[in-house]
């Protein structure tokens, strides 16, 4: 069975901005940044009142 | 080497990602999925705290930047770039938590995230199938204990979902209905294999379970994909997934390993998938007893024929008892 295969890659990341995730997602925003190596990272946060 | 090779003797693609041999393996002191604290070694997640984060796996099996195969494609032995996506989904910044420990609102948030990633990855024309999954526990190969799952965006429908869709298409051609719609109805009417039910969802041990304590979860209405669920259906999915995870931990009073995976409508844009795709989640724990594993051996691996040690009706009764003990 497969495994994650994750390792740390300390990199600076690009500037990011919150985007609201459309309903029916509940009060959710995402902010996506791209690392210098091209990998994307998305942070999801609950922000009451966003939906 | 990162490439896909087609086996003409089986009709299946196999992906080679040899760089994964060097991936992080059970690090003793440093967790790459924990938050990065000021002044400390950076992890994969550059925040001091977070709720849910997804990111591209550093050691992906499939990548948008997949190289040209090292071996040239021929009629007998086709090869192809391993194009696709492999994402990690980190459930929490709490290193010691498991999925079953998460608060209901966090599980509901994960449902939203899985749906959002399905929409985003599925919109990529190079991706034909999006499968969120979780490998929980060392027994099923997890190399990091921090609570997390993964999402694979495959370049074609993988073999098991494809076989399910073929079976569903054959059933639909024969009786004119979705096979999962009929299975869900039958399981709810019968009840002896049901583990849990909430508004719009049911969890049951399959009639022909491959693993002794396998559980399947599906909506009672025909919903092909995570992206088709409305708000209340997402509430129900979060609730029943959390229940199944907690039931497993209660069953033998330890944190039970499992593989959990979502099967849903392919994302290649073919409208023909809709009537025969019924979203469902498969939980496959490897244990057949607290201290014994169900190994995939001769019949299962060589013959593809599962032999199961526990009657599904008995397994469901044990799991229901564990569910009752949660209260």
């Amino acid at each position: 069975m497969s495994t994650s295969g994750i390792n740390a890659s300390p990199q600076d990341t690009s500037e990011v901005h919150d985007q609201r995730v459309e309903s029916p997602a509940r009060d959710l925003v995402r902010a996506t940044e791209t690392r210098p190596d091209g990998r994307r990272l998305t942070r999801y946060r609950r922000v009451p009142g966003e939906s | 080497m990162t490439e896909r090779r087609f086996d003409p003797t089986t009709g299946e693609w196999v992906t080679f990602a040899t760089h994964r041999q060097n991936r992080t393996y059970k690090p003793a002191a440093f967790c790459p999925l924990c938050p990065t604290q000021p002044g400390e070694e950076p992890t994969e997640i550059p925040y001091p705290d977070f709720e849910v984060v997804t990111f591209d796996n550093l050691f992906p099996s499939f990548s948008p930047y997949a190289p040209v195969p090292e071996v040239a494609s021929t009629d007998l032995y086709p090869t192809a770039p391993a194009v696709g996506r492999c994402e990690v989904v980190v459930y929490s910044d709490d290193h010691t938590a498991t999925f079953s420990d998460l608060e209901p609102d966090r599980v509901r948030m994960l449902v939203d995230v899985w749906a959002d990633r399905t929409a985003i990855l599925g919109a990529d024309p190079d991706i034909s199938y999006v499968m969120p999954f979780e490998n929980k526990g060392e027994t099923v190969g997890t190399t990091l204990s921090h609570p997390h799952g993964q999402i694979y965006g495959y370049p074609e429908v993988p073999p098991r979902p494809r076989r399910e869709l073929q079976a569903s298409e054959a059933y639909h051609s024969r009786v004119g209905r979705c096979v999962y719609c009929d299975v869900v109805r039958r399981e709810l009417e019968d009840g002896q294999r049901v583990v849990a039910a909430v508004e719009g969802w049911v969890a049951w041990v399959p009639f022909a379970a491959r693993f002794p304590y396998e559980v399947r979860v599906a909506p009672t209405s025909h919903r092909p994909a995570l992206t088709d669920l409305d708000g209340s259906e997402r509430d129900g999915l979060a609730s029943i997934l959390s229940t199944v995870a907690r039931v497993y931990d209660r069953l033998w009073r330890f944190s039970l390993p499992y593989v959990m995976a979502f099967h849903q409508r392919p994302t290649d844009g073919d409208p023909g998938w809709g009537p025969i795709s019924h979203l469902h989640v498969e939980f496959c724990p490897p244990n057949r007893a607290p201290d014994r594993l169900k190994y995939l051996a001769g019949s299962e691996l060589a013959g593809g024929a599962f032999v199961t040690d526990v009657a599904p009706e008995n397994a469901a009764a044990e799991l229901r008892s564990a569910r009752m003990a949660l209260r």
Side-chain angles (χ1 to χ4, degrees), chain B residues 167-188:
Chain B
S168 183
E169 185 174 34
Y171 186 87
H172 198 278
S173 297
R174 188 160 55 86
V175 304
R177 294 188 301 273
C178 161
V179 65
Y180 256 94
C181 287
D182 280 5
V183 164
V184 164
R185 192 177 304 114
R186 174 63 180 270
E187 293 299 335
L188 282 170

